[in-house]
Amino acid sequence: MPLLQIDDGGFTLDGEPFRLLSGGLHYFRVHPGQWADRLRKARLMGLNTVETYVPWNLHQPRPGEFTAEGGLDLDAFLDLAAAEGLHVLVRPGPYICAEWEGGGLPSWLLAEPDIRLRSRDPRFLAAVDGYFARLLPLLERHLATRGGPVLAVQVENEYGAYGDDTAYLEHLADSLRRGGADVPLFTCDQPADLARGRLPGVLATANFGSRSVENLAALRAEQPTGPLMCTEFWIGWFDRWGSHHVVREPGRAAQELDELLAAGASVNFYMFHGGTNFGFANGANEKTTYRPTVTSYDYDAPLDEAGDPTEKFTAFRDVIAKYAPVPAEPVPRPGPKLGLGAVALTESAALLEHSDALGAAVDSPGPLTMEQLGQDFGFVLYEAALPDAGAHLLEVEQVRDRAQVFVDGLPAGVLERESHEHALALTAPRPGSVLSVLVENQGRVNYGPGIHDRKGLLGEVLLDGEPLTSWTNRPLPLTDLAALPFATDTTTSVGPAFRRGSFHVDTPADTFLHLDGWTKGSVWVNGFALGRYWSRGPQRSLYVPAPVLRTGANTIVVLELHAGHRARTVEFRETADLGPTEE
């Protein structure tokens, strides 16, 4: 495999001038059965390279563990990229942002109450070094210096927007080098942060989505010689719950790309194919208000969430063809889609009643955080006894992120971090009534100082101004639902409930699950966690990848969180609904 070199004039590959034409494609946001299809389409758009982050939190879910199987089989993904004739840029973190849960940092770091993430805190650096010690041997045979497709590796990610500790970046670069990463290293930052985030002796690159000439000039002012590269050329954007579906006009994005390539720069589209935040993997942002990201990571990219070419695919390929050879093959046609119609969910299991089938309770004087419980994603069910009958005022110091409150199993209200609601009036019908608080982790903050984002009930819980003590804390990660005792559904649940149904498929193909009339919750098909739904939108359907389905009988489970919910059917349609765009 040719070697990438950096000199004063730019990139060279085996001594010849080279322009990186790359696109973001996160293996962990795409079903592994579809990796080869997405990589082939990257080549067909005219790309010679793909870029991927590596999510530390998934590869190392617990200290001392490391997994790279199934949807995390980075080894297989890199082999497929090489087979397609594509180079690869790897961005291993430790922090990746990516609108991903916690910016990719594992939640177990936050079990240390005063840890300083993305810093020279010895505890953080020791954890990072341990992670690299497990990841880098996996990458070694894929490095271009060993004949593999990986041309370059990133140091950290947009660090200039967070800090300015060059010694921290030096430690990471040294750790990568010690681990065998002997290909070029690079950093990336937004133009205004280049001086804070760059590392002397390492290639600096810039992230932007418009004003290409101006932003490349800022990069050149900071780095007078060497290649010009935009590592994140933002051609779309992500969505958050309660807003609109963000799109960007293809012609304008193509014009910006033309200006960037005319200036001689290399580019990495962010994203070429966005994919999906399956399960509970979405991140969140918090400036003044907490804003969780939706399940879809469609990103208005050249390939949509289902991997079909959009207008941008053709528009960008036409621009690329002005500067580099483009395959003569036609634009790929959209893949087949299934419209299975309505599916009845005829069985149910109440969450509160059967919580013991989902996790073991831990007793404590006050509520424990998810991190103290050794939990990363999902829910925690907190329970305590109310000492007296009658009216009470419940106050929670911090709710992370959404708490449904019940008294003796009956709904009493909702407390939300997003709306800064931390107090609730409730009534206990008897002394010793059970207070149940179901808290959802809606996604750890992935950008800025808010990444120190612990989940659950934080701080004291007060009842009528006095601390409420003697709690049970039950982790509900919802990674295995097999123990739930489903029964034929004959009544309307008054609390959160799992509902189950079955459906038949003749030939598996992509489809989109629509939950009209449902309120909020999560969905599993054949045990695969599709992600969250929420009636507030904008997203109103969930993408179901073809490899998740089976020929013959299939099973769907929906966790609906809200009491009195009457919907009993869902529908698989041929088209997605990501919500209205901004007027």
Side-chain angles (χ1 to χ4, degrees):
M1 184 67 71
L3 299 181
L4 184 73
Q5 300 288 336
I6 297 171
D7 58 34
D8 288 348
F11 291 120
T12 61
L13 203 63
D14 269 6
E16 296 296 323
F18 179 70
R19 187 201 301 261
L20 279 159
L21 297 169
S22 179
L25 174 55
H26 301 157
Y27 62 97
F28 49 94
R29 278 182 160 128
V30 180
H31 193 285
Q34 298 171 321
W35 287 345
D37 172 79
R38 307 317 194 240
L39 290 164
R40 180 180 68 89
K41 289 170 179 173
R43 179 181 59 79
L44 292 181
M45 198 177 85
L47 303 183
N48 56 33
T49 306
V50 292
E51 165 270 319
T52 186
Y53 283 126
V54 180
W56 180 10
N57 58 352
L58 293 194
H59 283 284
Q60 198 169 33
R62 297 289 178 269
E65 295 181 14
F66 190 85
T67 181
E69 300 176 348
L72 295 175
D73 193 346
L74 178 57
D75 198 54
F77 177 80
L78 295 173
D79 280 340
L80 288 171
E84 195 62 50
L86 293 166
H87 307 296
V88 182
L89 301 176
V90 173
R91 305 168 76 186
Y95 164 80
I96 64 173
C97 185
E99 289 73 59
W100 190 252
E101 224 266 359
L105 299 173
S107 63
W108 47 263
L109 292 169
L110 296 172
E112 296 279 356
D114 59 346
I115 194 168
R116 292 176 291 112
L117 305 176
R118 303 179 73 188
S119 80
R120 281 184 287 158
D121 185 320
R123 296 164 294 182
F124 181 68
L125 292 183
V128 172
D129 291 346
Y131 160 56
F132 283 166
R134 302 294 294 272
L135 174 68
L136 294 173
L138 183 154
L139 285 177
E140 186 171 0
R141 75 175 182 87
H142 298 285
L143 298 173
T145 48
R146 313 294 200 280
V150 177
L151 293 181
V153 172
Q154 181 172 288
V155 180
E156 243 272 3
N157 185 65
E158 289 194 330
Y159 180 67
Y162 184 85
D164 59 0
D165 185 356
T166 302
Y168 164 64
L169 297 179
E170 288 174 342
H171 179 99
L172 297 183
D174 289 345
S175 185
L176 290 168
R177 292 292 191 212
R178 287 193 305 271
D182 54 1
V183 295
L185 301 180
F186 65 98
T187 60
C188 74
D189 286 284
Q190 297 177 45
D193 301 323
L194 282 164
R196 289 161 50 88
R198 67 169 304 193
L199 179 60
V202 169
L203 177 68
T205 69
N207 297 346
F208 53 84
S210 60
R211 303 193 308 278
S212 296
V213 172
E214 174 187 333
N215 287 316
L216 289 173
L219 175 58
R220 180 56 77 215
E222 185 62 38
Q223 184 172 255
T225 62
L228 290 170
M229 179 164 177
C230 179
T231 291
E232 291 186 14
F233 182 58
W234 302 319
I235 51 77
W237 207 245
F238 59 92
D239 295 344
R240 64 173 177 84
W241 292 114
S243 186
H244 60 276
H245 176 46
V246 181
V247 298
R248 186 178 184 192
E249 199 274 317
R252 180 58 184 161
Q255 180 182 343
E256 290 286 353
L257 173 64
D258 202 349
E259 292 178 6
L260 185 142
L261 296 182
S266 290
V267 66
N268 178 62
F269 294 97
Y270 197 95
M271 298 288 296
F272 165 69
H273 173 50
T276 308
N277 296 315
F278 293 119
F280 300 114
N282 65 277
N285 283 277
E286 185 176 42
K287 293 183 180 178
T288 57
T289 301
Y290 174 79
R291 302 291 192 192
T293 303
V294 304
T295 298
S296 172
Y297 203 64
D298 176 87
Y299 217 86
D300 194 33
L303 293 188
D304 67 16
E305 189 174 8
D308 293 330
T310 67
E311 286 184 57
K312 286 179 180 172
F313 186 99
T314 303
F316 292 168
R317 191 169 79 155
D318 289 346
V319 172
I320 291 170
K322 296 170 59 176
Y323 301 92
V326 169
E329 301 169 59
V331 174
R333 297 179 60 83
K337 304 294 186 296
L338 288 180
L340 299 171
V343 173
L345 307 189
T346 57
E347 299 176 298
S348 69
L351 185 149
L352 297 182
E353 181 180 345
H354 301 297
S355 62
D356 57 345
L358 300 168
V362 176
D363 294 333
S364 63
L368 300 175
T369 67
M370 266 193 180
E371 295 74 22
Q372 290 171 317
L373 291 165
Q375 181 183 359
D376 41 21
F377 313 128
F379 298 74
V380 177
L381 177 61
Y382 299 94
E383 292 189 320
L386 297 173
D388 302 308
H392 299 284
L393 178 66
L394 181 72
E395 297 174 277
V396 179
E397 191 171 329
Q398 292 186 71
V399 175
R400 300 287 183 88
D401 301 302
R402 190 172 189 268
Q404 293 174 253
V405 182
F406 306 86
V407 177
D408 287 342
L410 297 177
V414 176
L415 301 174
E416 292 186 294
R417 173 182 184 177
E418 187 172 351
S419 57
H420 306 287
E421 294 171 347
H422 300 286
L424 180 69
L426 51 82
T427 301
R430 60 183 177 83
S433 287
V434 177
L435 173 70
S436 301
V437 185
L438 180 66
V439 180
E440 179 184 4
N441 166 8
Q442 294 191 119
R444 288 183 179 83
V445 171
N446 56 255
Y447 188 82
I451 57 174
H452 297 78
D453 190 9
R454 295 167 178 86
K455 297 301 187 182
L457 296 181
L458 277 62
E460 286 191 322
V461 176
L462 304 179
L463 186 70
D464 302 326
E466 296 295 327
L468 187 58
T469 59
S470 299
W471 290 84
T472 62
N473 312 260
R474 191 181 300 274
L476 303 176
L478 305 188
T479 52
D480 185 356
L481 308 181
L484 283 172
F486 283 96
T488 301
D489 190 5
T490 58
T491 61
T492 299
S493 172
V494 296
F498 297 88
R499 305 194 186 280
R500 185 170 71 180
S502 60
F503 59 98
H504 182 87
V505 171
D506 291 326
T507 303
D510 287 348
T511 186
F512 300 93
L513 179 67
H514 292 250
L515 295 110
D516 300 348
W518 298 74
T519 303
K520 191 181 195 300
S522 297
V523 181
W524 295 259
V525 170
N526 295 329
F528 183 90
L530 295 182
R532 310 175 207 253
Y533 66 90
W534 199 352
S535 58
R536 71 184 298 193
Q539 180 176 0
R540 299 192 182 279
S541 65
L542 291 174
Y543 172 56
V544 185
V548 168
L549 301 176
R550 307 166 182 154
T551 300
N554 293 260
T555 300
I556 179 171
V557 174
V558 176
L559 168 60
E560 169 57 49
L561 293 171
H562 279 275
H565 185 76
R566 298 182 182 278
R568 291 293 186 274
T569 62
V570 296
E571 188 171 353
F572 292 95
R573 302 176 190 167
E574 297 178 356
T575 56
D577 183 358
L578 296 182
T581 59
E582 189 174 30
E583 295 295 332

